[in-house]
Every structure is written in structure tokens, then in C-alpha cells.
Amino acid sequence: MLSDSAILKHIARQPKRAAGFKQLVRELGLHGEERGELDEHLRKLVSSGALVQAESDRYALPQAAADKNLVAGRLTMHRDGFGFVIPDAKSLSPSLKARLAGDIFIAPHLIGNAMHGDLVLVDVANVRPDGRAEGRIVRPVMRAHPTVVGVFHYGKQRNYVTPMDSKITQEIVVPAGMEVPDTSVPAVVSAVENTQPRRTQGTQRKKTSVDRVLGDEASRRTEWDDLEGVVVDVEITDWPSATQNPRGRVIEILGREDDFGLDVEITIRKFHLPHHFPAAALQEAQDTPAVITGRELHRRHDFRALPIVTIDGETARDFDDAVLVGMLANGNFELQVHIADVAHYVTPGSALDQEARLRGTSVYFPDRAVPMLPLELSTDICSLRPQVERLVLSCVMEMDHRGEIVGYELSEGVIRSAERMTYTAVNAVLEGDAAARERYAPLVATFELMRDLALILNRKRQRRGSIDFDLPEPVIEFDEFGLMKSIARSERNIAHRLIEEFMLSANECVAHHLESKRIASLYRVHEKPDAKRVYDFEVIAATFGYSLGVGALPIHRVQMKADRRAAYGTGKRVREIEVPKEVHITPRMYQKLAEKIAGRPEERILSYLMLRSLKQARYSEENLGHFALAATSYTHFTSPIRRYPDLIVHRILKDVLRVEGASTAGLRLAGQPRAAVPTQATGSDDAPSPWSKRRERAGVPSPHELGGPIALEELHDIAEESSQSERRADDAERELMEWKKVKFMQDRVGEDFDGLVTSVTKFGFFVELSDLFVEGLVPLNTLTDDRYTYHENTREIIGQRSRKIYSLGQKIRVLVDRIDPVEKKIQFAVFEEAPVPAQGKRRKKR
């Protein structure tokens, strides 16, 4: 069977670590459809950066391409026409890796036919002594935007579309006859779930995955007499050249930019989020039987008689986890975590499975969601709805009074949720609200046990050094018509905490189980932060009088052979490059600093900067540990309705249970002996973090020593794809939130607010409003009372005459000066009058 690893190994054996397509076909002995399969594998490897397409039909390992100063990377354009390429570290030669100190600058005339976001091949022409580099784009390797969303305009000589993404700098020419979508192709309905009231509520229909984003009144408009100023989606038919703009055809007409809900539609298309379920996937979802057979019930562990509950937000509709806590006869806690058995319904290779893998994750916007699975599954058959029998994968853990797992049991089960609880309701019960305690009287004692166990588990994590910043997030509140009425801080109460602790415990338990069985699986990994990022944070923290306690950062100074040759006989000093060595850093250092700054004025800014210094968590087939959680082994098991990696972990676990015969009716009941789980040392508060010694553990299997139902190469591909899908979803959610903030502030120009300086740069400083989570820039050129300069060493802006200082963490009152609707940015101006207690008092702009 053809695999990515087989292709890479074959290319690596070639003299120049490169091979042509025809050469690979011949030497691998491929025929017929296998040629197309090879082409798909090569495209995927190029997209992931594992290969570089050096010529039209020739592929090379990144290191081989780097020998010629060719670097693969992602192009980021500036609206003024120039760009920067963010190099892929795997494509850098050792020489370039040591000399480069950032991105590669591309002048406008050297962009070629590449566009913003493309994966490109760059010829690095010049690397300056300070590490800055210049280059030219040889050619695009992988296009980022097969379609572009923008505003349609009629021109005197030609019609065109102005992209809504300002980084796509060229207008898209639309030839005559291509302004209207092809009506011969049946319209596909957007399967986007609306979680907020709409202006017009249509008739509810049974057995449907259809829920239009714009509401029924917008969906009826299919004909447009005048497209001027209308937002459209354009498919690129001809890529740009040095003398020609890109050309395309309109494939979808979305509406006017200020139409209700159109911001969501634009964001979906801008980030190329899959949002149309194929007919085959919808048919599979509609054909999925909702009734559980007696045979299936008989072979599963029966939890239906227990008072198991779900705890979610008020607007949630996909309930994929349910919990129960009880006390055992020996005085230990029993924590039951039951997760929707999505793998029972979504089988490998099915249309549903292929679409779920393509999406990778559900995407949640402030007022609606793009689900990973059709609504028949995500909100009905798989969802753990109250008083309905549902299939689950269960993780039952026995815990002592220090939160250590002394035994556990994994099984396929069936539950009947006793109650659909919300975080608000559970918190009210635990806060002593009389009405809530009366309403849920049979469950009050269970909720109190949940709280007690959650606090124990939280203390256990603290003992081992787990980091918990607990940064508040913005929540947009809507009125009954679906319009924004305010931006508030998200409230996290004890109910959120207990669900978080229970899910963390289940995820760790499953990860340890699969690792102990030497089964290849997916892990959620979070690696140690880079030494450079730690150093940058330490510099800023020192200005507030804090430190992580890492000590002096060790620096390794190196000289390049080329620099020595150039300086030979000239008497000039050879340039030295400073390379930070690996720094000793543990999660406990972050945790202790977070405790020091808790409740202090600088907590918000330092917590944010600490978070930025950390790496981004990702999925991997190799267990690299989870730094932030101080966990030696961690996976995602608890959300298979909305995350594809969780579904994969379920499939692997179900296969293990099948092999062990643990999914039959003869399972051990609660209270009987369970399997022991590997525990992590969490003794005294001063005990070293187990994470820092993770790789020293004996007996940790190499990934290539593992067995399991899914090949390691396939798991690698799934991990890469899922990580990319997660980042894409995060970027889309973040951008739409910022867009909605800008819309919210449009009517508040001229009002003044209290804020906090969150970043200082050479062109100004950013301020976040205290009560609205809205950030804007105060440009340096708007500070007219003095001549201000930026001091990089202290990250301060200082007035030359007055010595007035603007610095990180400083409280300030600002005026909403202007809104840039194109860039979707807010500009503030410093308000000089004394702070006014009443928020939002309108002032005259001056």
C-alpha cells in the first residue's frame, strides 16, 4: 500500500534527495489509479512542508532544496504591495537557519504570480548581518485561496471584485458573462446551526440538516438586477502575472455587507471553512437509526439507572459528556465520565467520516456554529439528551482523597441522562440558592460531591505544577432580535471548574491506558517554550519587578565559515551570531509567577504575555507530554461530536476493548477491583515537576514499536490535518469576534472609556477598554502635546520635553477617535480630562 513514509524514504535514497513524478511511478511500480493516488500523496506532502516541489514535476526533501538557497514558506502580503515569507524551519539548511533572524522580505516586483497565504518557494538572495533577509519568489507551491470573497463593482472597461481581505492586494477581474453563478448547478444549502434568535423564524422541519445563516427572508433572494457593492464569492480561474490581475468567476452572491448575519457568511468563505455537507453524508445521517437494538444494549455496561447528568452552557445543543460522582464503601470517590459513542455511528471511510476529517472541528461563532457532523447526529442521535437512552464510552475512575487514580475501568456503555443541567443552575445549587436547591433536590448531594472532588483534583494539578491563567474571554450578548446589545466578560464559576477537572482526568486516564498497552494513538501535546520567547518575556517581566526564575539565559556564539573567509586578511572582526541555548524551564515556574501576580494590577498584562511565550498545543502521534498541564501523557477523548481527533481516539479505544473482550456484558461493576493506572509524583509542594523528567521515564515505547488499528503514518496525517483545522477555526472565530467588536463600537465614536495599555510599539500603543474587551491603537503621531519617541530597551514611549511615559500595564482614559471599516480596526486618542466614573459618557471629539 502506498504511504507518505514510503514515498519520503524512496526520495531520501536518491542521490540528490529528489525525484520526478514519472520516476516515482516507474520505480514504485505504480499502475492505473495508483498514479492518481501518488499525485494526491505528493500534494499533501508539499502542503505539509515534508516535500518541496522544486520543478513542475520534480519533488525534493526540504534540506535538498535548501542547498540551493531555496526555502519553502508561507507568504504574507502587505496592502502596499510588498510581502514577507515565513520560512518553514524544516526547509532551512543549517547555514540559513543560523543566519536568518526572522521572515524573508519580498519586494513588490519579485512577488511574481503568488498571492497572500500561498505556500511558496523562495530564492534567498541576501542575508544581512543583522539576520534580515531578502529574496524572490521562484513560484507558488500550494495555493491558499482557490476562492476569494469580496465586493463586486462595475467598471468602464471591465468588472472586478475588491477582496475583503486587504492583504490580497489585487482586484479580481470578472470577465463578461461570469458575473452570475451558474444556475444549472443545484444550490447547496448551508448547514450552519443558528444558536441565537433570528429576525424571522421559519417553520421547523423534521429530519433536516438545513439551517440557513441569513434567515429565511434573506435566503429567498436569488436574483440580483444590480451587483454594484454586493458581496460575492469568486473562484480564481487565472492566477496573476507580472502584467495581469487574477481573473475569476462569481460562484455565489452573498448580499450587502451590512445585511444581518452576513459577517458570518463572509468569515466562513474567507477562511474556506467547509460548510456544505455532501449529499452522501446527509443521506447517511438521515438513515442512521435512532433506536438502539436489544443486542447492542445487552453487550454494553448498563448505567441507565444512575442519576447521571450533563452540564453545559445555556445555548448548547450538542451534549457529548455526562458525569456522576459517588462515594465507595472504602471511602474513595468514584468519578464516572460518559462520552457520546460517536464512533458507533460514524464508521471509518464513510461519507460522514470523510467530511468530519475534512472539517476537523466544529467552529463556534458568537451566535451560530458550523458543526463537524450533521445536526441529526450532533444534536440528536449522538447528543446525550435527558431521559433518552444513548450509547457512550465510559471512563469510571476510583480516586483517593488526594485525587490520585487508584483504579479505573473503560467500557462501552449505555446511559439515560437524568437531567440537562447548565453551569448557571449547578452554580446556583452550590451557592445555596433556595429555589435551585428545591428544584434539583434529588441531585444536591451529588453536586456537592462533585464540587469536593473537583477542588481535590485542582489541588493535585497545582501540586505537580499545572498552569492555570484563567484569563477572562469576551462574550457578545444579543437581544431578542439577534442584534448585539453588549460585550461582557465570560463568567467562570465552580460548575465550569468541576467539568474541566473531570474531563482532564478522563483524558489523562485514557492516554495512560493506550500508552501502557503500547497502542499507537493520537496525543494532545504541548512542548516546552523556546528559549528566545522565555528570554523576551523575562525582559518585560523585569520592568514590573518579576521573573520566572530561570536565571541568566545561556547564549552560544558561533561564527559562519563564509564570514570568516570574507574577513580573512581584512583585519575586520568576524561577525558572531548569538544562538540561545536550551533553557531549564518547568510549568511550576509559570505557576508560581501566576500565583504572585494574582489580584495585582499587572496580572492581566503579565498573564497574557506569559501565555504568548508558550508554544501552541497541537495533535501528534508521538507522546511529547503536555507542558502547561504538567502531564506526562494527555489526549483528547471527551468531545467526539465536535473534534475529529477525539473520534479517532474512540475508535482506537473501542478496538482495544474488543480485543480484550472488555465490551461484553460481563464487565466488572462499580466497586469491584479495577486496573491500576500509572500515577505521577505529586507529593510535596516543592517536588519537581514530573513533566521536566518526562523523557527520563523507563519503558516509554518508541512510536515505531507500537501496534494498533490505525497505522502510524495515518495517525501522523490526521494529527497534522487536525492541528491545521483547529488553527483555521481559531483564526476565523477570532477575526469574526474582532469584526463584531468594531461594529459594536461604530456608534460610540466620541465616547471616552477607561483602559489598560497592553502593548507598546514604535508606531504607538494598544489599549484594551476595561469593561468591553475592545482593543484599539493610539498612534504615535496623535500624541501632539510633546515629541514622543519609542525606547525599545524599556518598551516605553517617552515625551522628550515633559518626560511623560506610556508603558505596559498603565491605566489610561481614551477617546474612541475613529473606526476603519476596511481594516476593521479601532483608533483611540488619549483623553486628558480626569477619569469619569460613568462609562461611555459622550464627549465632543477634538
Side-chain angles (χ1 to χ4, degrees):
M1 182 179 177
L2 191 63
S3 67
D4 290 347
S5 61
I7 296 170
L8 292 173
K9 288 178 182 176
H10 189 83
I11 294 176
R13 288 195 292 266
Q14 304 306 309
K16 295 184 179 180
R17 291 175 291 171
F21 180 81
K22 292 181 179 179
Q23 175 188 351
L24 290 171
V25 170
R26 183 179 63 257
E27 295 179 354
L28 294 174
L30 305 179
H31 305 280
E33 294 181 355
E34 292 176 327
R35 293 169 62 96
E37 188 179 344
L38 172 63
D39 186 57
E40 290 182 10
H41 278 284
L42 290 172
R43 287 176 180 271
K44 188 190 303 180
L45 290 169
V46 169
S47 177
S48 66
L51 286 178
V52 171
Q53 192 172 354
E55 298 172 14
S56 60
D57 67 342
R58 192 166 183 80
Y59 301 86
L61 295 177
Q63 296 86 350
D67 292 342
K68 301 178 182 180
N69 271 357
L70 295 180
V71 177
R74 190 72 61 179
L75 173 64
T76 298
M77 292 294 296
H78 189 275
R79 61 180 176 180
D80 291 338
F82 59 85
F84 293 91
V85 170
I86 305 168
D88 182 353
K90 292 184 290 187
S91 71
L92 293 173
S93 66
S95 172
L96 278 177
K97 187 175 292 186
R99 294 159 60 201
L100 277 180
D103 303 337
I104 303 166
F105 175 78
I106 311 292
H109 66 284
L110 298 177
I111 297 291
N113 66 344
M115 295 176 64
H116 169 69
D118 288 351
L119 183 65
V120 297
L121 198 62
V122 180
D123 182 10
V124 180
N126 179 34
V127 181
R128 298 179 182 178
D130 60 1
R132 291 187 293 176
E134 300 175 7
R136 67 175 183 88
I137 293 179
V138 177
R139 61 178 180 79
V141 174
M142 184 70 65
R143 294 290 186 178
H145 302 287
T147 61
V148 174
V149 63
V151 180
F152 187 93
H153 297 287
Y154 293 104
K156 292 182 179 180
Q157 297 180 342
R158 61 186 185 181
N159 302 330
Y160 61 94
V161 170
T162 303
M164 299 199 73
D165 187 344
S166 62
K167 291 184 177 180
I168 301 178
T169 56
Q170 294 175 296
E171 296 168 342
I172 316 296
V173 176
V174 180
M178 293 190 176
E179 307 92 338
V180 181
D182 185 358
T183 55
S184 64
V185 180
V188 184
V189 184
S190 174
V192 179
E193 180 187 356
N194 195 340
T195 60
Q196 293 291 341
R198 291 177 292 186
R199 285 181 176 177
T200 303
Q201 291 291 346
T203 304
Q204 293 289 327
R205 292 182 293 173
K206 295 182 179 179
K207 204 70 173 176
T208 178
S209 285
V210 175
D211 194 348
R212 286 188 181 273
V213 174
L214 297 180
D216 298 323
E217 77 287 358
S219 66
R220 286 195 296 267
R221 184 166 186 180
T222 58
E223 296 184 2
W224 295 78
D225 297 327
D226 183 6
L227 288 179
E228 179 63 35
V230 173
V231 179
V232 299
D233 200 19
V234 181
E235 180 183 26
I236 304 296
T237 57
D238 296 289
W239 300 103
S241 67
T243 59
Q244 178 181 295
N245 278 37
R247 301 163 73 88
R249 65 183 183 91
V250 175
I251 58 173
E252 194 173 10
I253 300 173
L254 301 179
R256 303 284 176 186
E257 189 175 352
D258 57 353
D259 282 349
F260 180 77
L262 195 67
D263 51 0
V264 176
E265 291 283 7
I266 291 171
T267 303
I268 287 171
R269 285 152 183 82
K270 177 179 176 180
F271 287 90
H272 309 291
L273 300 176
H275 56 286
H276 297 313
F277 283 107
L282 288 176
Q283 191 62 52
E284 285 183 4
Q286 293 171 3
D287 292 344
T288 301
V291 178
I292 304 171
T293 65
R295 181 180 179 182
E296 187 65 32
L297 290 174
H298 179 71
R299 77 176 195 86
R300 288 176 175 259
H301 196 157
D302 192 348
F303 297 96
R304 288 175 292 180
L306 300 177
I308 297 166
V309 299
T310 60
I311 306 176
D312 293 275
E314 274 75 7
T315 61
R317 293 176 63 188
D318 51 348
F319 312 131
D320 47 18
D321 59 85
V323 294
L324 175 66
V325 173
M327 295 297 294
L328 299 175
N330 61 4
N332 285 342
F333 290 94
E334 181 183 75
L335 169 61
Q336 295 187 13
V337 177
H338 304 280
I339 307 300
D341 190 357
V342 179
H344 178 80
Y345 300 101
V346 181
T347 56
S350 64
L352 281 171
D353 179 53
Q354 293 176 37
E355 185 65 15
R357 180 169 176 175
L358 177 66
R359 297 182 177 218
T361 180
S362 295
V363 186
Y364 295 94
F365 297 118
D367 57 346
R368 60 207 72 197
V370 183
M372 185 180 79
L373 298 172
L375 303 185
E376 287 88 353
L377 295 177
S378 62
T379 66
D380 187 7
I381 295 173
C382 293
S383 185
L384 307 183
R385 295 163 57 195
Q387 306 304 327
V388 181
E389 292 179 352
R390 288 291 182 258
L391 301 182
V392 293
L393 271 182
S394 302
C395 179
V396 181
M397 294 159 280
E398 180 178 345
M399 297 177 169
D400 63 21
H401 284 261
R402 286 176 59 82
E404 303 295 346
I405 300 177
V406 296
Y408 68 94
E409 197 172 74
L410 300 169
S411 66
E412 295 176 292
V414 58
I415 69 167
R416 184 187 293 114
S417 172
E419 195 74 57
R420 181 269 199 261
M421 299 298 300
T422 66
Y423 296 118
T424 303
V426 172
N427 185 62
V429 169
L430 296 176
E431 290 293 320
D433 182 272
R437 292 176 76 87
E438 182 180 355
R439 164 70 177 83
Y440 302 108
L443 298 170
V444 169
T446 300
F447 293 146
E448 290 175 341
L449 274 179
M450 288 183 183
R451 174 194 59 200
D452 296 342
L453 179 58
L455 293 175
I456 289 172
L457 292 173
N458 185 258
R459 287 196 292 270
K460 181 184 86 168
R461 286 200 300 115
Q462 289 180 353
R463 286 198 301 273
R464 75 185 192 199
S466 179
I467 310 168
D468 189 359
F469 294 123
D470 200 16
L471 291 171
E473 295 182 354
V475 174
I476 295 180
E477 297 177 343
F478 298 87
D479 61 19
E480 64 273 19
F481 302 109
L483 300 175
M484 288 185 293
K485 66 176 183 179
S486 66
I487 302 175
R489 292 173 182 265
S490 60
E491 295 293 335
R492 274 174 51 85
N493 55 44
I494 184 60
H496 293 88
R497 289 275 188 188
L498 63 88
I499 288 297
E500 180 181 283
E501 294 295 343
F502 296 167
M503 297 305 111
L504 290 173
S505 295
N507 286 334
E508 283 193 57
C509 184
V510 170
H512 277 297
H513 180 78
L514 294 176
E515 186 178 35
S516 67
K517 297 291 182 182
R518 294 179 176 264
I519 300 297
S521 184
L522 286 181
Y523 294 92
R524 181 67 168 178
V525 301
H526 186 225
E527 296 151 284
K528 287 175 63 174
D530 291 329
K532 181 67 167 61
R533 284 182 173 265
V534 172
Y535 174 76
D536 289 342
F537 172 77
E538 285 285 81
V539 170
I540 298 175
T543 63
F544 292 90
Y546 295 101
S547 172
L548 286 168
V550 296
L553 186 70
I555 298 294
H556 180 57
R557 292 179 172 84
V558 297
Q559 296 177 349
M560 305 304 298
K561 288 183 179 179
D563 293 333
R564 287 202 296 268
R565 284 197 298 266
Y568 181 76
T570 64
K572 294 182 179 179
R573 184 177 179 180
V574 180
R575 177 174 67 103
E576 290 186 336
I577 301 171
E578 292 187 347
V579 181
K581 292 183 179 179
E582 185 167 342
V583 64
H584 174 67
I585 184 75
T586 67
R588 193 184 301 281
M589 294 176 178
Y590 278 86
Q591 182 201 66
K592 288 186 174 181
L593 181 54
E595 291 172 353
K596 284 181 183 179
I597 63 177
R600 303 187 67 84
E602 56 270 18
E603 178 185 14
R604 168 73 176 157
I605 185 65
L606 285 180
S607 294
Y608 172 72
L609 293 173
M610 272 196 284
L611 190 63
R612 288 193 61 183
S613 73
L614 297 174
K615 286 187 176 181
Q616 192 171 22
R618 61 184 178 89
Y619 297 103
S620 174
E621 76 284 4
E622 183 180 1
N623 179 19
L624 303 174
H626 199 293
F627 181 83
L629 292 175
T632 59
S633 189
Y634 191 71
T635 190
H636 272 174
F637 160 77
T638 54
S639 297
I641 291 178
R642 62 184 179 88
R643 289 191 306 231
Y644 191 72
D646 300 55
L647 175 58
I648 293 299
V649 171
H650 275 227
R651 285 180 183 160
I652 294 170
L653 180 59
K654 283 166 71 73
D655 185 80
V656 171
L657 294 176
R658 179 185 58 79
V659 172
E660 295 177 346
S663 59
T664 64
L667 282 169
R668 295 182 298 274
L669 298 177
Q672 293 185 356
R674 298 189 179 89
V677 66
T679 57
Q680 301 182 52
T682 55
S684 68
D685 290 349
D686 296 324
S689 166
W691 197 95
S692 62
K693 296 187 177 182
R694 175 179 52 79
R695 303 314 297 172
E696 298 173 16
R697 291 179 299 154
V700 176
S702 163
H704 299 284
E705 300 173 6
L706 304 175
I710 303 178
L712 200 65
E713 293 83 359
E714 181 73 3
L715 288 173
H716 172 78
D717 292 344
I718 293 171
E720 289 287 323
E721 293 167 14
S722 298
S723 297
Q724 291 173 12
S725 297
E726 180 187 37
R727 286 192 287 272
R728 178 182 63 186
D730 288 343
D731 291 343
E733 291 169 2
R734 188 181 305 111
E735 176 158 313
L736 184 66
M737 178 64 77
E738 293 304 313
W739 192 356
K740 285 190 175 291
K741 289 179 184 178
V742 168
K743 285 185 175 181
F744 182 75
M745 296 302 292
Q746 281 179 336
D747 295 332
R748 289 161 177 79
V749 174
E751 297 183 19
D752 52 276
F753 300 85
D754 287 324
L756 185 75
V757 177
T758 56
S759 178
V760 181
T761 71
K762 61 183 179 182
F763 52 83
F765 56 90
F766 290 89
V767 175
E768 182 184 85
L769 303 186
S770 301
D771 299 320
L772 291 177
F773 268 102
V774 173
E775 188 176 68
L777 173 69
V778 178
L780 191 66
N781 57 17
T782 64
L783 303 174
T784 57
D785 62 320
D786 198 347
R787 184 174 181 179
Y788 288 87
T789 55
Y790 173 64
H791 294 244
E792 188 172 5
N793 57 337
T794 59
R795 288 177 171 81
E796 294 175 328
I797 290 176
I798 303 176
Q800 293 183 357
R801 176 180 49 79
S802 63
R803 308 307 295 171
K804 184 186 292 185
I805 298 175
Y806 295 102
S807 59
L808 274 172
Q810 179 179 339
K811 292 183 178 181
I812 192 171
R813 194 162 184 86
V814 293
L815 190 81
V816 182
D817 190 35
R818 61 185 294 267
I819 304 289
D820 185 340
V822 176
E823 289 290 314
K824 300 177 181 61
K825 293 180 179 178
I826 303 170
Q827 182 174 307
F828 294 145
V830 175
F831 188 75
E832 296 294 345
E833 292 185 8
V836 180
Q839 176 199 334
K841 185 175 179 181
R842 185 170 290 278
R843 306 276 183 178
K844 288 184 179 180
K845 182 180 173 183
R846 45 181 177 175

